Amino acid sequence: MNKQDYLDYLSLPTKLYNEIEENVADLLVQLNIRSYPVNPMQIALSLGYELVPFCEMNKEAKQILVKKDVDGISHYNPDQKTFVIYYRPDGMKERLRFTIGHEIGHIRMGHRGESELARRIADYYSAYLLAPTPWIYNAGCDDYTDVANTFFVSEPCAMRCFTRYEKWRNIPFIKSYEITLISLLSQKKCGCR
């Protein structure tokens, strides 16, 4: 798949981009996160979600997830009155961070079932959570390698984020939630790593 096919595959309806980005900005403000790289596991815990590695699941459930070849899955547990995120703890740490962000995206965007659109929304959510466009600007990233190193994301995620940033630089206005994201960084940093 070439780069343009890949970007088309990831594309979403325009209004969804703004909705996702605004949701992420609201979350970062709500949790008073003022520095990067963000810690999606800490975000999940701060939201009251339970994090459970696959190895702690019962054997049958674990086998189903491994067979599906997924890195994470989430659901609402009515007994605990919270969301539970199950995740594969092995592999690249950048992948784990993306997976947790992806599941936070499913939860925060109100997804109740699996679909290709829900997956793409959660992917975009995670990428924006890990590397919001105004923060890429603030960090002075010159290419996707800078994004990967600064925001501790995988190379494919960094490429998507830097492509988003390059498009953003050509837009002649800034949205209110982007101003909010920039102002978070200019306030006292809390070291949320």
Side-chain angles (χ1 to χ4, degrees):
M1 184 180 303
N2 68 35
K3 182 179 178 181
Q4 187 57 49
D5 289 341
Y6 183 69
L7 293 174
D8 290 343
Y9 167 73
L10 293 174
S11 67
L12 296 167
T14 303
K15 83 172 201 162
L16 280 177
Y17 290 113
N18 291 333
E19 187 179 331
I20 294 164
E21 292 171 5
E22 193 164 8
N23 190 298
V24 168
D26 290 346
L27 176 62
L28 295 172
V29 167
Q30 173 191 344
L31 298 179
N32 200 29
I33 296 174
R34 302 175 183 277
S35 63
Y36 46 82
V38 299
N39 182 335
M41 294 185 98
Q42 186 58 51
I43 289 172
L45 294 172
S46 295
L47 291 169
Y49 305 161
E50 183 180 352
L51 296 171
V52 179
F54 283 0
C55 57
E56 292 181 17
M57 298 173 71
N58 69 48
K59 187 176 179 178
E60 295 80 25
K62 181 178 172 182
Q63 286 175 338
I64 291 169
L65 292 179
V66 170
K67 187 181 262 186
K68 280 183 154 185
D69 193 31
V70 296
D71 291 326
I73 193 163
S74 56
H75 77 92
Y76 184 75
N77 182 330
D79 296 334
Q80 296 177 313
K81 296 185 174 132
T82 190
F83 286 93
V84 180
I85 297 174
Y86 298 99
Y87 64 94
R88 184 187 311 256
D90 51 351
M92 287 180 24
K93 296 295 181 201
E94 295 89 345
R95 180 73 184 174
L96 173 60
R97 290 166 41 76
F98 188 86
T99 297
I100 301 299
H102 177 97
E103 295 307 320
I104 291 170
H106 277 307
I107 295 166
R108 299 260 312 164
M109 297 305 291
H111 298 159
R112 297 292 176 244
E114 294 182 35
S115 73
E116 183 59 30
L117 179 60
R119 188 192 62 72
R120 290 189 349 232
I121 289 169
D123 279 352
Y124 189 82
Y125 193 101
S126 184
Y128 199 84
L129 175 66
L130 295 172
T133 306
W135 290 10
I136 294 171
Y137 171 78
N138 177 270
C141 296
D142 292 324
D143 57 28
Y144 75 87
T145 305
D146 285 348
V147 173
N149 293 331
T150 303
F151 294 92
F152 198 52
V153 295
S154 68
E155 196 170 281
C157 180
M159 285 185 212
R160 287 185 297 217
C161 293
F162 193 74
T163 299
R164 174 181 12 102
Y165 169 66
E166 287 179 311
K167 289 179 183 178
W168 179 80
R169 288 190 314 193
N170 295 319
I171 297 172
F173 61 89
I174 188 165
K175 298 169 187 134
S176 62
Y177 62 83
E178 293 170 331
I179 294 169
T180 300
L181 286 172
I182 292 168
S183 71
L184 279 174
L185 296 177
S186 66
Q187 300 169 11
K188 184 180 175 208
K189 297 190 180 211
C190 66
C192 300
R193 294 178 188 214

